């Protein structure tokens, strides 16, 4: 649900944009940092409102994008592609993790990604 709300509320930009969800809700323009910050804020709101703090943990993470085992950041110049933001939801009871990249989800309709250690 947090992913759907994030995709509905934001539009991707490569321009400089805020990563503060309180500002993003008005500007509606975000890069990967803003998408992940908004997703994390919404996910934590939903977790708290549904009394799930003891069961689910939502975290904003930073990493690299690989496609077929190739780090795609090497093909881009500039600091914009230095790293990439994504989110991790952890079931505290089972340890199972779901990794979501709200930017990739919005752009490519890929709703789950994998995370290498």
């Amino acid at each position: 649900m947090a992913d759907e709300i994030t995709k509905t509320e934001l539009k991707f930009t490569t321009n400089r944009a805020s990563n503060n969800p309180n500002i993003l809700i008005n500007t509606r323009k975000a890069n990967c940092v803003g998408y992940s910050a908004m997703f994390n804020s919404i996910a934590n709101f939903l977790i708290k409102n549904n009394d799930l703090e003891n069961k689910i943990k939502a975290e904003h993470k930073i990493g690299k994008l690989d496609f077929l085992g190739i780090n795609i950041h090497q093909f881009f110049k500039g600091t914009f592609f230095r790293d990439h933001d994504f989110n991790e939801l952890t079931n505290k009871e089972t340890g199972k993790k779901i990794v979501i990249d709200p930017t990739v989800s919005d752009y490519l309709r890929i709703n789950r990604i994998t995370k290498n250690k």
Side-chain angles (χ1 to χ4, degrees), residues 59-109:
E59 295 179 278
H60 180 159
K61 303 279 191 168
I62 300 172
K64 303 283 183 202
L65 282 175
D66 285 358
F67 182 70
L68 301 174
I70 299 168
N71 180 340
I72 65 167
H73 296 273
Q74 66 183 323
F75 300 112
F76 300 99
K77 301 280 187 238
T79 58
F80 181 79
F81 289 101
R82 179 181 62 236
D83 52 35
H84 193 73
D85 292 56
F86 61 95
N87 300 82
E88 186 173 83
L89 300 173
T90 304
N91 181 321
K92 291 182 176 182
E93 295 172 345
T94 66
K96 182 179 178 185
K97 296 177 186 285
I98 296 172
V99 184
I100 299 170
D101 183 329
T103 308
V104 169
S105 179
D106 192 19
Y107 245 61
L108 302 175
R109 306 290 181 233

Side-chain angles (χ1 to χ4, degrees), residues 8-85:
T8 300
E9 294 301 321
L10 297 179
K11 299 295 177 226
F12 187 77
T13 182
T14 56
N15 295 328
R16 191 171 197 87
S18 177
N19 61 6
N20 180 333
N22 295 316
I23 294 171
L24 291 173
I25 201 67
N26 293 317
T27 64
R28 302 177 68 107
K29 300 273 187 196
N31 54 37
C32 65
V33 179
Y35 265 77
S36 286
M38 177 70 90
F39 175 94
N40 205 58
S41 179
I42 294 167
N44 279 306
F45 173 82
L46 293 170
I47 289 166
K48 184 174 182 176
N49 265 17
N50 290 288
D51 295 319
L52 296 171
E53 296 99 332
N54 293 327
K55 296 183 182 215
I56 302 171
K57 179 179 181 182
E59 295 179 278
H60 180 159
K61 303 279 191 168
I62 300 172
K64 303 283 183 202
L65 282 175
D66 285 358
F67 182 70
L68 301 174
I70 299 168
N71 180 340
I72 65 167
H73 296 273
Q74 66 183 323
F75 300 112
F76 300 99
K77 301 280 187 238
T79 58
F80 181 79
F81 289 101
R82 179 181 62 236
D83 52 35
H84 193 73
D85 292 56

